[in-house]
Amino acid sequence: QVRLAESGGGLVQAGGSLRLSCTVPGNIFRINTMGWFRQAPGKQRELVARITNGGSTYYADSVKGRFTISRDNAKNTVYLQMNSLKPEDTAVYTCNTVPTTYYPWGQGTQVTVSS
């Protein structure tokens, strides 16, 4: 089954940085909008950031100014640079198409931020 592959998570102290990667099967240039989502324990999955093929971006208020989404169509990869991490950023991060999720959800990558 075709799945997205997220990587780059880990344990980091508050104020630290991580860079997440999402490898998309097939040609990403065919996909207009890709997004990064996160789900913390006991909470619903939320959209963190999205990027169009033209490079337009959107960020949730909670991450604006700290996270940067980018895409490399030649590598079929979407990135999420996360700076100034906070304990409340702790979650499993996944990626998918936006607004309709075309791919089955991947396992995601765990991000844990210690205080």
Side-chain angles (χ1 to χ4, degrees):
Q1 192 174 19
V2 174
R3 288 188 179 274
L4 301 156
E6 301 96 347
S7 63
L11 173 63
V12 64
Q13 287 188 331
S17 298
L18 286 171
R19 188 193 194 204
L20 307 184
S21 299
C22 167
T23 301
V24 182
N27 295 318
I28 190 177
F29 74 87
R30 299 178 185 272
I31 301 171
N32 184 43
T33 307
M34 288 293 300
W36 277 100
F37 301 78
R38 70 184 180 188
Q39 187 169 20
K43 295 187 177 181
Q44 287 189 331
R45 183 183 286 122
E46 62 172 342
L47 177 67
V48 173
R50 65 173 185 251
I51 184 168
T52 68
N53 228 341
S56 296
T57 57
Y58 156 87
Y59 299 95
D61 287 343
S62 57
V63 306
K64 200 172 294 183
R66 301 187 297 121
F67 290 11
T68 302
I69 189 171
S70 61
R71 61 193 287 170
D72 185 338
N73 287 355
K75 296 182 178 180
N76 293 328
T77 302
V78 182
Y79 304 97
L80 186 67
Q81 177 67 43
M82 306 187 297
N83 299 328
S84 303
L85 283 162
K86 304 176 180 180
E88 50 263 43
D89 294 319
T90 295
V92 175
Y93 285 71
T94 54
C95 62
N96 217 315
T97 54
V98 177
T100 302
T101 53
Y102 176 75
Y103 294 98
W105 290 102
Q107 289 188 332
T109 185
Q110 175 71 47
V111 171
T112 303
V113 184
S114 63
S115 58

